[in-house]
DNA sequence: GTCTATATGCTGATAGAC
DNA sequence: GTCTATCAGCATATAGAC
Protein backbone atom coordinates (compact mmCIF):
# COMPACT_ATOMS: atom_id res chain seq x y z
CA UNK A 1 0.00 0.00 0.00
CA UNK A 2 2.86 2.32 0.64
CA UNK A 3 2.97 5.53 2.58
CA UNK A 4 -0.32 7.39 2.98
CA UNK A 5 -0.54 11.12 2.19
CA UNK A 6 -1.56 11.89 5.75
CA UNK A 7 -0.52 9.82 8.77
CA UNK A 8 -3.23 7.45 9.90
CA UNK A 9 -1.86 7.15 13.40
CA UNK A 10 -0.69 9.40 16.17
CA UNK A 11 0.63 8.72 19.63
CA UNK A 12 -2.49 10.19 21.18
CA UNK A 13 -4.82 8.07 19.12
CA UNK A 14 -2.86 4.94 19.93
CA UNK A 15 -2.81 5.67 23.65
CA UNK A 16 -6.50 6.52 23.78
CA UNK A 17 -7.46 3.35 21.96
CA UNK A 18 -5.19 1.24 24.14
CA UNK A 19 -6.69 2.73 27.30
CA UNK A 20 -10.19 2.02 26.05
CA UNK A 21 -9.16 -1.57 25.44
CA UNK A 22 -7.59 -1.91 28.88
CA UNK A 23 -10.70 -0.52 30.55
CA UNK A 24 -13.13 -2.56 28.50
CA UNK A 25 -11.29 -5.85 28.90
CA UNK A 26 -7.89 -6.13 30.55
CA UNK A 27 -4.21 -5.44 30.29
CA UNK A 28 -3.69 -8.75 28.50
CA UNK A 29 -6.31 -7.84 25.92
CA UNK A 30 -3.97 -5.20 24.59
CA UNK A 31 -1.96 -6.88 21.88
CA UNK A 32 -0.26 -4.96 19.14
CA UNK A 33 -2.39 -6.71 16.55
CA UNK A 34 -5.70 -6.07 18.25
CA UNK A 35 -4.79 -2.50 18.96
CA UNK A 36 -3.80 -2.04 15.34
CA UNK A 37 -7.00 -3.65 14.10
CA UNK A 38 -9.01 -1.33 16.32
CA UNK A 39 -7.15 1.56 14.73
CA UNK A 40 -7.75 0.28 11.22
CA UNK A 41 -4.10 -0.37 10.61
CA UNK A 42 -1.69 -3.27 10.36
CA UNK A 43 0.24 -4.45 13.39
CA UNK A 44 3.78 -3.26 12.81
CA UNK A 45 2.60 0.26 11.98
CA UNK A 46 2.56 0.98 15.70
CA UNK A 47 6.32 0.63 15.82
CA UNK A 48 6.68 3.88 13.94
CA UNK A 49 5.23 5.68 16.95
CA UNK A 50 6.37 3.62 19.91
CA UNK A 51 9.44 1.52 20.57
CA UNK A 52 7.31 -1.46 21.54
CA UNK A 53 4.31 -2.61 23.47
CA UNK A 54 5.85 -1.71 26.82
CA UNK A 55 6.27 1.87 25.71
CA UNK A 56 2.61 2.03 24.78
CA UNK A 57 1.51 0.72 28.17
CA UNK A 58 3.88 3.17 29.81
CA UNK A 59 2.22 6.03 27.96
CA UNK A 60 -1.22 4.75 28.94
CA UNK A 61 -0.20 4.67 32.59
CA UNK A 62 1.10 8.20 32.45
CA UNK A 63 -2.08 9.42 30.78
CA UNK A 64 -4.11 7.92 33.61
CA UNK A 65 -1.87 9.51 36.24
CA UNK A 66 -2.41 12.83 34.53
CA UNK A 67 -6.05 12.67 35.59
CA UNK A 68 -5.12 12.82 39.27
CA UNK A 69 -5.94 16.12 40.92
CA UNK A 70 -2.87 17.64 42.56
CA UNK A 71 -4.12 21.22 42.67
CA UNK A 72 -4.62 21.00 46.43
CA UNK A 73 -0.88 21.05 47.03
CA UNK A 74 -0.47 24.52 45.57
CA UNK A 75 -2.26 26.06 48.53
CA UNK A 76 -0.07 24.47 51.20
CA UNK A 77 2.79 26.88 50.94
CA UNK A 78 0.73 29.81 49.63
CA UNK A 79 -2.54 30.22 51.53
CA UNK A 80 -1.63 27.95 54.40
CA UNK A 81 -3.91 25.07 53.47
CA UNK A 82 -3.27 22.31 56.02
CA UNK A 83 -1.12 19.55 54.55
CA UNK A 84 -3.69 17.05 55.78
CA UNK A 85 -6.39 18.55 53.58
CA UNK A 86 -4.14 18.54 50.54
CA UNK A 87 -3.08 14.97 51.18
CA UNK A 88 -6.66 13.83 51.64
CA UNK A 89 -7.84 15.50 48.46
CA UNK A 90 -4.99 14.03 46.47
CA UNK A 91 -5.42 10.54 47.90
CA UNK A 92 -9.14 10.51 47.13
CA UNK A 93 -8.59 11.71 43.61
CA UNK A 94 -5.75 9.24 43.07
CA UNK A 95 -7.87 6.35 44.26
CA UNK A 96 -10.85 7.46 42.22
CA UNK A 97 -8.77 7.67 39.06
CA UNK A 98 -7.29 4.22 39.58
CA UNK A 99 -10.71 2.82 40.43
CA UNK A 100 -11.84 4.13 37.06
CA UNK A 101 -9.07 2.16 35.34
CA UNK A 102 -8.57 -0.82 37.64
CA UNK A 103 -6.87 -3.04 35.09
CA UNK A 104 -3.96 -0.66 34.79
CA UNK A 105 -2.89 -0.91 38.43
CA UNK A 106 -0.50 -3.86 38.07
CA UNK A 107 1.38 -1.77 35.53
CA UNK A 108 2.23 0.72 38.29
CA UNK A 109 4.58 -1.87 39.73
CA UNK A 110 7.22 -1.19 37.12
CA UNK A 111 7.99 2.16 38.70
CA UNK A 112 7.74 5.85 37.86
CA UNK A 113 10.57 5.85 35.38
CA UNK A 114 10.57 8.98 33.29
CA UNK A 115 6.81 9.41 33.01
CA UNK A 116 6.17 13.13 33.25
CA UNK A 117 2.87 12.98 35.11
CA UNK A 118 4.26 10.55 37.66
CA UNK A 119 7.18 12.86 38.32
CA UNK A 120 4.95 15.91 38.42
CA UNK A 121 2.87 14.20 41.10
CA UNK A 122 5.92 13.20 43.12
CA UNK A 123 7.20 16.73 42.93
CA UNK A 124 3.90 18.22 44.11
CA UNK A 125 3.45 15.85 47.05
CA UNK A 126 7.00 16.13 48.30
CA UNK A 127 7.18 19.88 47.78
CA UNK A 128 3.98 20.53 49.70
CA UNK A 129 5.01 18.37 52.64
CA UNK A 130 8.34 20.13 52.90
CA UNK A 131 6.64 23.51 52.62
CA UNK A 132 4.34 22.47 55.45
CA UNK A 133 7.29 21.84 57.72
CA UNK A 134 7.99 18.15 57.37
CA UNK A 135 11.70 17.40 57.30
CA UNK A 136 12.79 16.15 53.90
CA UNK A 137 13.46 12.57 54.95
CA UNK A 138 10.11 12.35 56.71
CA UNK A 139 8.31 13.96 53.79
CA UNK A 140 9.70 11.24 51.55
CA UNK A 141 8.35 8.58 53.86
CA UNK A 142 4.93 10.18 54.14
CA UNK A 143 4.59 10.40 50.38
CA UNK A 144 5.64 6.80 49.99
CA UNK A 145 3.35 5.41 52.65
CA UNK A 146 0.41 7.29 51.22
CA UNK A 147 1.16 5.78 47.86
CA UNK A 148 1.28 2.34 49.43
CA UNK A 149 -2.19 2.80 50.79
CA UNK A 150 -3.75 4.25 47.65
CA UNK A 151 -2.28 1.81 45.16
CA UNK A 152 -3.07 -1.10 47.46
CA UNK A 153 -6.66 0.04 47.64
CA UNK A 154 -6.85 0.04 43.85
CA UNK A 155 -5.22 -3.33 43.30
CA UNK A 156 -8.37 -5.30 42.74
CA UNK A 157 -11.44 -5.24 44.93
CA UNK A 158 -11.20 -6.90 48.28
CA UNK A 159 -14.77 -7.85 48.85
CA UNK A 160 -15.49 -8.72 45.23
CA UNK A 161 -13.00 -11.56 45.34
CA UNK A 162 -14.87 -13.72 47.78
CA UNK A 163 -16.91 -16.56 46.28
CA UNK A 164 -20.59 -16.07 46.97
CA UNK A 165 -21.00 -19.76 47.62
CA UNK A 166 -21.58 -20.20 51.34
CA UNK A 167 -20.42 -23.82 51.18
CA UNK A 168 -16.84 -22.65 50.62
CA UNK A 169 -16.60 -21.34 54.16
CA UNK A 170 -18.82 -23.64 56.18
CA UNK A 171 -16.95 -25.59 58.79
CA UNK A 172 -13.45 -24.65 57.68
CA UNK A 173 -13.42 -20.89 58.30
CA UNK A 174 -15.46 -20.27 61.43
CA UNK A 175 -15.43 -16.48 61.29
CA UNK A 176 -16.30 -16.19 57.62
CA UNK A 177 -19.84 -17.42 58.08
CA UNK A 178 -21.20 -14.41 56.21
CA UNK A 179 -18.40 -13.95 53.71
CA UNK A 180 -20.57 -15.13 50.85
CA UNK A 181 -22.47 -11.84 51.21
CA UNK A 182 -19.38 -9.74 50.65
CA UNK A 183 -19.51 -9.62 46.87
CA UNK A 184 -22.82 -7.77 47.00
CA UNK A 185 -21.52 -5.10 49.33
CA UNK A 186 -18.24 -4.83 47.42
CA UNK A 187 -18.37 -1.20 46.50
CA UNK A 188 -19.48 0.02 49.88
CA UNK A 189 -16.85 -2.02 51.70
CA UNK A 190 -14.00 -0.99 49.44
CA UNK A 191 -14.89 2.66 49.82
CA UNK A 192 -15.57 2.73 53.53
CA UNK A 193 -12.37 0.81 54.20
CA UNK A 194 -10.47 3.36 52.16
CA UNK A 195 -12.03 6.25 54.04
CA UNK A 196 -11.42 4.59 57.40
CA UNK A 197 -7.80 3.96 56.50
CA UNK A 198 -7.31 7.47 55.21
CA UNK A 199 -8.65 8.95 58.43
CA UNK A 200 -6.53 6.62 60.54
CA UNK A 201 -3.45 7.59 58.58
CA UNK A 202 -4.20 11.29 58.90
CA UNK A 203 -4.77 11.00 62.63
CA UNK A 204 -1.56 9.06 63.10
CA UNK A 205 0.49 11.36 60.90
CA UNK A 206 -0.86 14.46 62.63
CA UNK A 207 0.41 13.16 65.96
CA UNK A 208 3.78 12.39 64.43
CA UNK A 209 3.96 15.78 62.78
CA UNK A 210 3.42 17.54 66.07
CA UNK A 211 6.25 15.56 67.64
CA UNK A 212 8.59 16.11 64.74
CA UNK A 213 7.97 19.84 64.52
CA UNK A 214 8.33 20.30 68.26
CA UNK A 215 11.62 18.43 68.22
CA UNK A 216 12.86 20.40 65.28
CA UNK A 217 11.93 23.71 66.89
CA UNK A 218 14.36 23.06 69.75
CA UNK A 219 17.05 21.86 67.37
CA UNK A 220 16.88 23.84 64.15
CA UNK A 221 17.89 22.01 61.01
CA UNK A 222 17.39 18.56 62.49
CA UNK A 223 15.67 16.07 60.29
CA UNK A 224 13.34 14.47 62.79
CA UNK A 225 14.49 10.90 62.76
CA UNK A 226 17.08 8.68 61.22
CA UNK A 227 18.15 9.78 57.80
CA UNK A 228 17.08 7.40 55.05
CA UNK A 229 20.52 7.54 53.54
CA UNK A 230 23.00 8.21 56.30
CA UNK A 231 26.06 10.01 55.08
CA UNK A 232 24.24 12.05 52.47
CA UNK A 233 23.32 15.47 53.82
CA UNK A 234 19.61 16.07 53.85
CA UNK A 235 18.79 12.50 53.10
CA UNK A 236 16.86 11.32 50.12
CA UNK A 237 14.68 13.71 48.32
CA UNK A 238 11.24 13.13 46.98
CA UNK A 239 7.75 12.23 47.86
CA UNK A 240 5.99 10.03 45.45
CA UNK A 241 6.28 7.70 42.54
CA UNK A 242 3.53 6.73 40.19
CA UNK B 1 7.08 -42.61 25.38
CA UNK B 2 3.81 -43.39 27.11
CA UNK B 3 3.11 -43.51 30.78
CA UNK B 4 6.15 -43.71 33.05
CA UNK B 5 6.29 -46.29 35.85
CA UNK B 6 6.45 -43.56 38.44
CA UNK B 7 4.96 -40.12 37.86
CA UNK B 8 7.54 -37.52 36.91
CA UNK B 9 5.39 -34.63 38.00
CA UNK B 10 3.38 -33.63 41.03
CA UNK B 11 1.46 -30.52 41.89
CA UNK B 12 4.02 -29.62 44.52
CA UNK B 13 6.95 -29.98 42.19
CA UNK B 14 5.23 -27.88 39.54
CA UNK B 15 4.34 -25.15 42.00
CA UNK B 16 7.80 -25.05 43.53
CA UNK B 17 9.47 -24.82 40.14
CA UNK B 18 7.04 -22.14 38.98
CA UNK B 19 7.69 -20.09 42.11
CA UNK B 20 11.43 -20.36 41.61
CA UNK B 21 10.95 -19.11 38.07
CA UNK B 22 8.76 -16.21 39.18
CA UNK B 23 11.29 -15.18 41.80
CA UNK B 24 14.31 -15.55 39.57
CA UNK B 25 12.78 -13.71 36.61
CA UNK B 26 9.20 -12.55 36.50
CA UNK B 27 5.58 -13.55 36.22
CA UNK B 28 5.79 -13.38 32.43
CA UNK B 29 8.77 -15.72 32.44
CA UNK B 30 6.48 -18.52 33.55
CA UNK B 31 5.31 -20.16 30.36
CA UNK B 32 4.02 -23.68 30.23
CA UNK B 33 6.82 -24.62 27.87
CA UNK B 34 9.61 -23.17 30.00
CA UNK B 35 8.16 -24.58 33.14
CA UNK B 36 7.85 -27.99 31.51
CA UNK B 37 11.40 -27.81 30.19
CA UNK B 38 12.64 -26.93 33.66
CA UNK B 39 10.83 -30.01 34.94
CA UNK B 40 12.26 -32.25 32.23
CA UNK B 41 8.92 -32.86 30.64
CA UNK B 42 6.93 -31.85 27.58
CA UNK B 43 4.60 -28.88 27.69
CA UNK B 44 1.12 -30.38 27.72
CA UNK B 45 2.05 -32.79 30.51
CA UNK B 46 1.24 -30.04 33.00
CA UNK B 47 -2.41 -30.24 32.03
CA UNK B 48 -2.70 -33.57 33.78
CA UNK B 49 -2.14 -31.76 37.06
CA UNK B 50 -3.61 -28.31 36.53
CA UNK B 51 -6.48 -27.01 34.45
CA UNK B 52 -4.26 -24.39 32.85
CA UNK B 53 -1.60 -21.82 33.44
CA UNK B 54 -3.88 -19.63 35.56
CA UNK B 55 -4.50 -22.49 37.96
CA UNK B 56 -0.75 -22.93 38.37
CA UNK B 57 -0.24 -19.26 39.18
CA UNK B 58 -3.14 -19.43 41.59
CA UNK B 59 -1.50 -22.29 43.42
CA UNK B 60 1.79 -20.41 43.52
CA UNK B 61 0.06 -17.40 45.06
CA UNK B 62 -1.56 -19.52 47.72
CA UNK B 63 1.72 -21.21 48.56
CA UNK B 64 3.29 -17.80 49.11
CA UNK B 65 0.41 -16.67 51.31
CA UNK B 66 0.91 -19.80 53.37
CA UNK B 67 4.24 -18.40 54.49
CA UNK B 68 2.58 -15.47 56.28
CA UNK B 69 2.65 -15.71 60.04
CA UNK B 70 -0.83 -15.47 61.52
CA UNK B 71 -0.05 -17.12 64.83
CA UNK B 72 -0.30 -13.79 66.64
CA UNK B 73 -4.05 -13.72 66.22
CA UNK B 74 -4.55 -16.81 68.33
CA UNK B 75 -3.59 -14.93 71.49
CA UNK B 76 -6.07 -12.08 71.02
CA UNK B 77 -9.07 -13.90 72.36
CA UNK B 78 -7.12 -16.28 74.58
CA UNK B 79 -4.37 -14.52 76.54
CA UNK B 80 -5.59 -11.03 75.86
CA UNK B 81 -2.86 -10.05 73.44
CA UNK B 82 -3.67 -6.51 72.24
CA UNK B 83 -5.15 -6.55 68.74
CA UNK B 84 -2.63 -3.91 67.74
CA UNK B 85 0.27 -6.25 68.48
CA UNK B 86 -1.32 -9.06 66.50
CA UNK B 87 -2.07 -6.76 63.57
CA UNK B 88 1.45 -5.38 63.57
CA UNK B 89 3.06 -8.81 63.65
CA UNK B 90 0.84 -10.04 60.85
CA UNK B 91 1.36 -6.95 58.68
CA UNK B 92 5.14 -7.16 59.03
CA UNK B 93 5.18 -10.83 58.18
CA UNK B 94 2.81 -10.32 55.28
CA UNK B 95 4.95 -7.56 53.84
CA UNK B 96 8.13 -9.52 54.38
CA UNK B 97 6.74 -12.53 52.57
CA UNK B 98 5.59 -10.45 49.61
CA UNK B 99 8.90 -8.62 49.55
CA UNK B 100 10.53 -12.02 49.20
CA UNK B 101 8.42 -12.74 46.13
CA UNK B 102 7.81 -9.29 44.66
CA UNK B 103 6.92 -10.47 41.18
CA UNK B 104 3.88 -12.30 42.44
CA UNK B 105 2.11 -9.23 43.83
CA UNK B 106 0.20 -8.27 40.67
CA UNK B 107 -1.36 -11.72 40.78
CA UNK B 108 -3.02 -10.81 44.08
CA UNK B 109 -5.32 -8.50 42.13
CA UNK B 110 -7.42 -11.38 40.89
CA UNK B 111 -8.87 -11.85 44.35
CA UNK B 112 -8.86 -14.47 47.08
CA UNK B 113 -11.12 -16.90 45.30
CA UNK B 114 -11.04 -20.30 46.90
CA UNK B 115 -7.38 -20.33 47.88
CA UNK B 116 -7.21 -22.01 51.25
CA UNK B 117 -4.36 -19.98 52.71
CA UNK B 118 -5.98 -16.71 51.65
CA UNK B 119 -9.20 -17.69 53.35
CA UNK B 120 -7.40 -18.94 56.41
CA UNK B 121 -5.74 -15.55 56.74
CA UNK B 122 -9.01 -13.67 56.27
CA UNK B 123 -10.59 -15.84 58.91
CA UNK B 124 -7.81 -15.24 61.41
CA UNK B 125 -7.69 -11.47 60.95
CA UNK B 126 -11.43 -10.97 61.11
CA UNK B 127 -11.93 -13.38 63.97
CA UNK B 128 -9.26 -11.74 66.11
CA UNK B 129 -10.61 -8.25 65.54
CA UNK B 130 -14.11 -9.33 66.50
CA UNK B 131 -12.78 -11.14 69.55
CA UNK B 132 -10.99 -7.94 70.53
CA UNK B 133 -14.25 -6.06 70.54
CA UNK B 134 -14.42 -4.50 67.10
CA UNK B 135 -17.95 -4.58 65.69
CA UNK B 136 -18.18 -6.92 62.73
CA UNK B 137 -18.65 -4.23 60.10
CA UNK B 138 -15.72 -2.25 61.46
CA UNK B 139 -13.57 -5.33 61.72
CA UNK B 140 -14.16 -5.97 58.05
CA UNK B 141 -13.00 -2.47 57.21
CA UNK B 142 -9.92 -2.68 59.40
CA UNK B 143 -8.86 -5.94 57.80
CA UNK B 144 -9.38 -4.50 54.34
CA UNK B 145 -7.54 -1.27 54.94
CA UNK B 146 -4.60 -3.11 56.43
CA UNK B 147 -4.50 -5.25 53.32
CA UNK B 148 -4.53 -2.13 51.18
CA UNK B 149 -1.47 -0.82 52.93
CA UNK B 150 0.50 -4.06 52.92
CA UNK B 151 -0.15 -5.05 49.34
CA UNK B 152 0.49 -1.50 48.19
CA UNK B 153 3.82 -1.54 49.97
CA UNK B 154 4.76 -4.71 48.12
CA UNK B 155 3.68 -3.61 44.66
CA UNK B 156 7.11 -2.69 43.38
CA UNK B 157 9.63 -0.52 45.12
CA UNK B 158 8.93 3.17 45.32
CA UNK B 159 12.39 4.53 45.54
CA UNK B 160 13.90 2.03 43.15
CA UNK B 161 11.78 3.32 40.32
CA UNK B 162 13.37 6.72 40.06
CA UNK B 163 15.97 7.17 37.34
CA UNK B 164 19.36 7.92 38.85
CA UNK B 165 20.06 10.44 36.14
CA UNK B 166 19.91 13.89 37.73
CA UNK B 167 19.22 15.50 34.37
CA UNK B 168 15.72 14.01 34.35
CA UNK B 169 14.62 16.29 37.16
CA UNK B 170 16.66 19.45 36.65
CA UNK B 171 14.52 22.47 35.95
CA UNK B 172 11.24 20.63 35.47
CA UNK B 173 10.65 19.20 38.93
CA UNK B 174 11.92 21.75 41.43
CA UNK B 175 11.50 19.64 44.55
CA UNK B 176 13.06 16.49 43.16
CA UNK B 177 16.53 17.92 43.06
CA UNK B 178 17.89 14.94 44.95
CA UNK B 179 15.64 12.26 43.55
CA UNK B 180 18.46 10.71 41.55
CA UNK B 181 19.86 9.51 44.88
CA UNK B 182 16.73 7.57 45.76
CA UNK B 183 17.61 4.33 44.01
CA UNK B 184 20.59 3.84 46.31
CA UNK B 185 18.53 4.24 49.45
CA UNK B 186 15.68 2.15 48.06
CA UNK B 187 15.57 -0.52 50.69
CA UNK B 188 15.83 1.81 53.64
CA UNK B 189 13.14 4.13 52.29
CA UNK B 190 10.70 1.35 51.46
CA UNK B 191 11.09 -0.15 54.92
CA UNK B 192 10.99 3.04 56.94
CA UNK B 193 7.96 4.24 55.00
CA UNK B 194 6.23 0.97 55.76
CA UNK B 195 7.04 1.24 59.45
CA UNK B 196 5.96 4.87 59.59
CA UNK B 197 2.68 4.03 57.88
CA UNK B 198 2.08 1.06 60.10
CA UNK B 199 2.57 3.14 63.22
CA UNK B 200 0.34 5.90 61.87
CA UNK B 201 -2.38 3.38 61.10
CA UNK B 202 -2.12 1.79 64.53
CA UNK B 203 -2.28 5.17 66.25
CA UNK B 204 -5.28 6.22 64.20
CA UNK B 205 -7.08 2.92 64.64
CA UNK B 206 -6.47 2.91 68.37
CA UNK B 207 -8.24 6.24 68.68
CA UNK B 208 -11.12 4.99 66.62
CA UNK B 209 -11.32 1.79 68.60
CA UNK B 210 -11.67 3.71 71.84
CA UNK B 211 -14.52 5.74 70.37
CA UNK B 212 -16.27 2.72 68.94
CA UNK B 213 -16.03 0.66 72.10
CA UNK B 214 -17.19 3.54 74.30
CA UNK B 215 -20.19 4.10 72.05
CA UNK B 216 -20.99 0.44 72.00
CA UNK B 217 -20.74 0.13 75.76
CA UNK B 218 -23.66 2.51 76.18
CA UNK B 219 -25.64 0.80 73.46
CA UNK B 220 -24.94 -2.93 73.54
CA UNK B 221 -25.14 -4.73 70.24
CA UNK B 222 -24.68 -1.60 68.16
CA UNK B 223 -22.30 -1.89 65.27
CA UNK B 224 -20.39 1.34 65.68
CA UNK B 225 -21.03 3.05 62.40
CA UNK B 226 -22.96 2.64 59.21
CA UNK B 227 -23.44 -0.94 58.22
CA UNK B 228 -21.57 -1.90 55.05
CA UNK B 229 -24.66 -3.58 53.70
CA UNK B 230 -27.71 -1.90 55.15
CA UNK B 231 -30.67 -4.18 55.46
CA UNK B 232 -28.64 -7.24 56.28
CA UNK B 233 -28.37 -7.77 60.04
CA UNK B 234 -24.80 -7.63 61.27
CA UNK B 235 -23.48 -6.38 57.99
CA UNK B 236 -20.88 -8.11 55.92
CA UNK B 237 -18.65 -10.58 57.53
CA UNK B 238 -14.97 -10.98 57.06
CA UNK B 239 -11.66 -9.34 57.45
CA UNK B 240 -9.17 -10.04 54.79
CA UNK B 241 -8.57 -11.38 51.36
CA UNK B 242 -5.30 -12.47 49.89
C1' DG C 1 -3.73 -41.79 34.76
C1' DT C 2 0.61 -39.80 32.85
C1' DC C 3 3.21 -38.90 29.46
C1' DT C 4 4.75 -37.62 24.09
C1' DA C 5 3.78 -35.83 19.59
C1' DT C 6 1.46 -32.95 16.75
C1' DA C 7 -1.41 -28.98 15.41
C1' DT C 8 -4.02 -24.46 15.76
C1' DG C 9 -4.19 -19.76 16.23
C1' DC C 10 -2.57 -16.47 19.05
C1' DT C 11 1.60 -13.16 20.45
C1' DG C 12 5.76 -9.28 19.95
C1' DA C 13 8.93 -8.02 16.83
C1' DT C 14 11.87 -7.41 12.43
C1' DA C 15 13.02 -6.67 7.28
C1' DG C 16 12.17 -4.67 3.19
C1' DA C 17 8.88 -2.94 -0.45
C1' DC C 18 6.47 1.29 -1.73
C1' DG D 1 4.75 5.97 7.65
C1' DT D 2 2.34 2.10 6.43
C1' DC D 3 2.30 -2.19 4.03
C1' DT D 4 3.27 -7.50 3.44
C1' DA D 5 5.89 -11.36 4.73
C1' DT D 6 8.00 -13.75 8.15
C1' DC D 7 10.00 -15.43 12.59
C1' DA D 8 10.13 -17.51 17.12
C1' DG D 9 7.47 -18.31 21.10
C1' DC D 10 3.00 -18.58 23.47
C1' DA D 11 -1.43 -21.33 25.71
C1' DT D 12 -4.07 -24.81 24.74
C1' DA D 13 -6.38 -29.05 22.41
C1' DT D 14 -6.31 -33.63 20.84
C1' DA D 15 -4.69 -38.30 19.75
C1' DG D 16 -2.26 -42.13 20.99
C1' DA D 17 1.50 -44.98 23.61
C1' DC D 18 1.78 -47.47 27.83
Amino acid sequence: MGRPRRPLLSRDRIVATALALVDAESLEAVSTRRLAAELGVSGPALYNHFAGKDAIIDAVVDTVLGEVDITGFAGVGADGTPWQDALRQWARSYREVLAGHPHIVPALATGPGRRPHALRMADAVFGALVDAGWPRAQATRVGVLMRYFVTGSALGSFAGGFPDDAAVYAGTYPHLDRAHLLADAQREIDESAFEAGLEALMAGLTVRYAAVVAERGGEPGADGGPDPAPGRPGGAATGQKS
Side-chain angles (χ1 to χ4, degrees), chain A residues 26-91:
Chain A
S26 68
L27 210 48
E28 298 79 46
V30 183
S31 72
T32 53
R33 296 165 123 92
R34 254 200 90 178
L35 186 50
E38 212 95 26
L39 289 158
V41 123
S42 261
L46 301 172
Y47 288 79
N48 292 306
H49 301 267
F50 286 97
K53 188 194 170 177
D54 289 356
I56 297 176
I57 298 297
D58 220 55
V60 170
V61 168
D62 203 49
T63 298
V64 169
L65 293 180
E67 298 175 22
V68 178
D69 178 15
I70 57 170
T71 58
F73 292 117
V76 173
D79 4 309
T81 306
W83 57 268
Q84 292 95 331
D85 291 353
L87 226 45
R88 244 188 292 255
Q89 179 186 337
W90 163 69

Side-chain angles (χ1 to χ4, degrees), chain A residues 63-173:
Chain A
T63 298
V64 169
L65 293 180
E67 298 175 22
V68 178
D69 178 15
I70 57 170
T71 58
F73 292 117
V76 173
D79 4 309
T81 306
W83 57 268
Q84 292 95 331
D85 291 353
L87 226 45
R88 244 188 292 255
Q89 179 186 337
W90 163 69
R92 290 195 178 113
S93 169
Y94 195 0
R95 183 190 112 91
E96 220 164 90
V97 167
L98 293 182
H101 310 283
H103 299 140
I104 207 70
V105 177
L108 294 176
T110 55
R114 305 172 126 79
R115 296 187 288 233
H117 286 124
L119 292 169
R120 197 180 51 107
M121 190 157 85
D123 190 62
V125 175
F126 180 70
L129 289 170
V130 170
D131 281 352
W134 282 94
R136 290 176 72 95
Q138 301 274 354
T140 301
R141 292 192 191 107
V142 172
V144 175
L145 69 90
M146 290 296 298
R147 176 183 182 268
Y148 287 170
F149 182 66
V150 173
T151 56
S153 78
L155 180 70
S157 163
F158 153 66
F162 277 85
D164 58 1
D165 174 9
V168 171
Y169 314 99
T172 318
Y173 308 104

